[in-house]
Amino acid sequence: MSEDRRLDVLRAIVEDYVATREPVGSRALVERHTLGVSPATIRNDMAALEDAGYIAQPHTSAGRVPTDKGYRVFVDRLSTVKPLSAPERRAIGSFLEDAVDLDDVVDRSVRLIAQLTQQVAVVQYPSLRRSALRHIELVPVGPRHLLVVLITDTGRVEQRTLDAGLDLDELLVARLRAQLNVCVAGRRLPELTTALRDLGAAFEPEHAPLVASVVAIIEETLAQESEERVVLAGTANLARGGADFNNTLGPVLEALEEQVVLLRLLSEMAEDEAAVSVRIGSETQHVGLLETSFVTTAYGDEHGAIARVGSIGPTRMNYPGTMAAVRAVARYLTRILAGS
């Protein structure tokens, strides 16, 4: 039996099952696809695919459906991800470029992926741990209070108010602001502790308490806000496709509510060599996600990848379409964050 023909049969089964949600028989393959062989030969190929664990027969006298192993072979043999159409790309660009800040970009991105895929969309928020500081602003808001504003290269803004404990000198505040930005601009979180530690040496001893207080509130803010988080949209799409799940939707929804589960998967998938990573069924290694697949890719800025975006749906998903949508949104996110 031809190995290439067997894989063509598997591809046809996956495509038909995704399109119809019905088990696929040999007669349907002959009618819908030009495989160049007789129905008897296709039946033999299907028997071999079943023996190898790529397809399964859900019940007697039924057609075949792909298994997780079969989907994996199908995905791995996608030589290229078909790009979205020009109108689709223009629509994505227009929708995302109208965002007013980072929160709006993330919110628009997750809703856009959910709409494009009709599945659950996941966007990992740019973490301060992976971001670099672009600027620190110090703004006196009274005789003794100082607003400390941190702005990252991804557009994330964090601010805290500091009680200086003494009347503020505007010249000292301006000098401290300048020195801070020399120390931190362009540095990522792991590099900041060392850079900030030596800042006090640039100031007179009588100014040390103010410098120490500002450094402390910066470090405290970075520590508090470095926690990873994800944003979801389109959970209702799973309910509309409930027939794809043999069990109830409960375990799936519970898994999606556990951000630690999604963050673990995103972290593991970040190590994959493929530009667009796919975890299918049991590959997620979580009992609640055994009937789902997770498609993700990275987005970033001029320094490289900082987080991931993705889509979660039933294993019977349109893999090429989902991969194309996720990749397209990630590319626009990267373009926006890089300021190009």
Side-chain angles (χ1 to χ4, degrees):
M1 180 181 63
S2 166
E3 181 74 13
D4 288 340
R5 189 184 70 239
R6 183 179 71 176
L7 292 173
D8 286 342
V9 172
L10 175 61
R11 173 189 52 77
I13 292 172
V14 171
E15 291 176 351
D16 282 7
Y17 183 60
V18 168
T20 68
R21 198 184 286 168
E22 296 292 335
V24 182
S26 58
R27 180 178 300 176
L29 292 178
V30 171
E31 294 173 350
R32 297 171 185 163
H33 302 271
T34 305
L35 297 171
V37 293
S38 67
T41 301
I42 291 179
R43 284 194 292 272
N44 289 335
D45 289 347
M46 293 176 70
L49 289 168
E50 187 172 7
D51 289 341
Y54 296 115
I55 60 176
Q57 189 174 29
H59 49 83
T60 306
S61 300
R64 306 305 196 274
V65 300
T67 62
D68 290 356
K69 184 178 179 181
Y71 283 126
R72 169 51 59 193
V73 172
F74 173 80
V75 169
D76 288 347
R77 286 182 65 84
L78 290 174
S79 57
T80 59
V81 178
K82 182 180 178 181
L84 298 179
S85 67
E88 287 174 322
R89 294 196 301 273
R90 285 195 297 270
I92 291 173
S94 175
F95 185 67
L96 294 183
E97 287 165 5
D98 286 342
V100 297
D101 55 26
L102 178 62
D103 289 334
D104 195 17
V105 169
V106 171
D107 179 67
R108 286 170 179 254
S109 297
V110 74
R111 289 190 286 119
L112 184 57
I113 294 174
Q115 181 179 350
L116 290 170
T117 64
Q118 290 300 297
Q119 298 169 165
V120 177
V122 179
V123 175
Q124 186 178 19
Y125 211 89
S127 169
L128 287 180
R129 191 179 303 280
R130 296 186 184 89
S131 302
L133 278 183
R134 176 181 293 165
H135 184 73
I136 294 180
E137 187 59 55
L138 302 180
V139 183
V141 290
R144 292 172 170 249
H145 289 84
L146 195 63
L147 180 65
V148 181
V149 184
L150 309 182
I151 305 172
T152 74
D153 57 355
T154 60
R156 184 167 177 176
V157 178
E158 298 293 337
Q159 58 186 37
R160 298 290 186 276
T161 300
L162 168 68
D163 184 350
L166 48 78
D167 288 343
L168 294 169
D169 182 307
E170 290 189 8
L171 292 178
L172 174 60
V173 171
R175 181 181 164 202
L176 178 55
R177 180 193 305 117
Q179 288 289 338
L180 275 170
N181 283 293
V182 168
C183 288
V184 307
R187 295 179 184 269
R188 293 185 180 249
L189 183 60
E191 305 170 312
L192 290 177
T193 302
T194 301
L196 291 171
R197 185 184 304 141
D198 301 328
L199 184 65
F203 291 84
E204 294 74 16
E206 61 267 28
H207 300 148
L210 176 62
V211 175
S213 295
V214 171
V215 169
I217 202 168
I218 291 172
E219 292 180 335
E220 178 184 335
T221 301
L222 294 174
Q224 288 177 347
E225 301 301 330
S226 63
E227 182 179 353
E228 306 279 359
R229 61 189 176 100
V230 295
V231 181
L232 300 181
T235 305
N237 289 331
L238 290 183
R240 285 191 284 270
D244 286 306
F245 300 96
N246 293 321
N247 301 314
T248 66
L249 279 175
V252 179
L253 298 177
E254 288 174 4
L256 294 178
E257 288 177 356
E258 298 180 35
Q259 291 215 352
V260 65
V261 173
L262 297 179
L263 288 168
R264 173 185 62 79
L265 277 168
L266 289 166
S267 178
E268 292 173 354
M269 295 171 83
E271 303 299 322
D272 293 350
E273 294 182 2
V276 181
S277 180
V278 182
R279 294 293 169 90
I280 300 168
S282 59
E283 294 174 356
T284 62
Q285 297 183 6
H286 190 283
V287 65
L289 300 176
L290 292 180
E291 296 179 345
T292 68
S293 289
F294 196 6
V295 176
T296 73
T297 192
Y299 71 94
D301 55 19
E302 65 270 22
H303 300 290
I306 57 173
R308 297 183 78 79
V309 300
S311 181
I312 299 175
T315 53
R316 189 198 65 86
M317 73 161 55
N318 176 359
Y319 289 95
T322 299
M323 294 166 74
V326 167
R327 185 183 64 173
V329 173
R331 285 180 171 178
Y332 276 98
L333 264 172
T334 295
R335 185 180 304 174
I336 291 169
L337 294 180
S340 59

